[in-house]
Amino acid sequence: MRDSATLKFGGKEFHSRLIVGTGKYPDYPTMQKALEASGTEIVTVAVRRVNLDRKQESLLDYIDLKRYTLLPNTAGCYTAEDACKYARLAREVGMPEMVKLEVIGDQRTLFPDNEELLKATRTLVKEGFIVLPYVNDDPVMAKKLEDAGAAAVMPLGAPIGSGLGLRNPHNIMIILQTVQVPVIVDAGVGTASDAAVAMELGCDGVLMNTAIAGAKDPVMMADAMRKAVEAGRQAYLAGRIPKKAYASASTTMEGMIE
Amino acid sequence: MEIRLNGKVREVAEGISIRRLLDELELHPMRVAVQRNQDIIKRDRYEEVVLQPGDTVEILTIMAGG
């Protein structure tokens, strides 16, 4: 399953394993170029009030809907009820019935509220949504979400926007061994090697926003992330050598002069 | 009459429909979602749903996000 050539969930298939957020870019043209450089096929978006005071440029004018699948999030929701409402509002705006489900439990860390997350997952799955929950790096919770019908699980590598990289790769590995659905690391990536580490572990994908949008050169970083995700995936499939404590010579001793 | 629109009090015509409100605001019905007093109004009901004084209306759209 994890050796599949493409990323599959909810009856959809993607060739890129990098999912990219649309927030925090200096401007829309930069975002547009970064999305292109990243090679992504899925981009996350949010649902918010229309600005009635001044005419704003629409994000959608900068996203080619033939090329990208939009994945609405429920960012900023602190209860299952609110998160479900935002998912339904996104559907009303014409988004696919797919949701990056966030139910936050703490403002400072933006860690998920497991109880509410599970509740919201059950409700939205029943309503026909493809639910992709953002979850702690907790294998027990990941399994519960899979059992509740989540199409993939998205454990955090580190807090949202922190750029700390994968703080507990062992837990991510246990999650990979615990669930059958795709595992997509969401949040915490700071630089290309972080994305590569996630993919080398065998993760099915990586989702990031700040690491690209907040880089000095977002377009160049997006290109680096594309390469890192591809390299990490290849390394995983190629099968790394086991780690050993002592040296093992690459050059034979045979043929040396006496 | 007064309604509360996206968190602010706003004067609108008596008996205005959601469709008409969107037209006045120059918003494309295909690019928004509308919530009235906590209920999401489906797009095919924009013509028939008429606002009442004191209604709380939220108009939402897709924005940038992670």
Side-chain angles (χ1 to χ4, degrees), chain A residues 6-75:
Chain A
T6 52
L7 173 60
K8 291 181 202 154
F9 56 78
K12 296 173 190 290
E13 189 175 9
F14 304 95
H15 293 89
S16 166
R17 292 176 179 276
L18 177 56
I19 303 175
V20 181
T22 54
K24 297 193 196 171
Y25 289 87
D27 49 59
Y28 285 151
T30 306
M31 177 202 75
Q32 193 176 37
K33 281 188 216 127
L35 293 181
E36 197 174 327
S38 76
T40 188
E41 292 168 312
I42 309 170
V43 298
T44 63
V45 292
V47 177
R48 290 290 182 265
R49 277 175 171 164
V50 167
N51 190 334
L52 297 171
D53 297 333
R54 59 189 169 87
K55 203 97 187 122
Q56 268 182 320
E57 275 191 306
S58 170
L59 170 76
L60 295 178
D61 292 337
Y62 289 86
I63 296 177
D64 180 357
L65 295 177
K66 283 190 217 92
R67 180 167 175 182
Y68 303 111
T69 296
L70 295 190
L71 174 59
N73 68 26
T74 61

Side-chain angles (χ1 to χ4, degrees), chain A residues 147-213:
Chain A
D147 291 345
V153 291
M154 305 211 293
L156 55 84
I160 295 172
S162 69
L164 288 171
L166 266 68
R167 300 319 296 160
N168 198 341
H170 304 285
N171 271 27
I172 301 289
M173 214 162 64
I174 297 170
I175 291 174
L176 284 163
Q177 291 162 358
T178 306
V179 301
Q180 302 296 312
V181 292
V183 176
I184 298 165
V185 165
D186 177 4
V189 167
T191 188
S193 53
D194 299 332
V197 166
M199 296 310 294
E200 285 169 14
L201 287 173
C203 288
D204 299 272
V206 182
L207 191 159
M208 64 183 75
N209 190 156
T210 313
I212 294 175

Side-chain angles (χ1 to χ4, degrees), chain A residues 21-23 28 44-53 55-56 58-61 73 85-86 88-89 91-95 100 102 209, chain B residues 5-8 10 25-27 29-35 38-44 46 57-66:
Chain A
T22 54
Y28 285 151
T44 63
V45 292
V47 177
R48 290 290 182 265
R49 277 175 171 164
V50 167
N51 190 334
L52 297 171
D53 297 333
K55 203 97 187 122
Q56 268 182 320
S58 170
L59 170 76
L60 295 178
D61 292 337
N73 68 26
K85 177 180 278 182
Y86 271 81
R88 294 176 195 127
L89 284 166
R91 184 173 56 187
E92 279 309 302
V93 188
M95 295 293 104
K100 175 189 156 176
E102 289 182 49
N209 190 156
Chain B
L5 178 62
N6 283 12
K8 283 182 186 161
R10 193 178 183 104
L25 296 168
E26 292 176 31
L27 293 173
M30 299 298 280
R31 279 195 174 186
V32 296
V34 180
Q35 180 181 286
Q38 299 298 318
D39 293 324
I40 297 171
I41 307 295
K42 297 260 178 208
R43 203 172 280 160
D44 55 8
Y46 287 174
V57 178
E58 297 285 351
I59 305 177
L60 301 112
T61 191
I62 294 300
M63 296 270 184

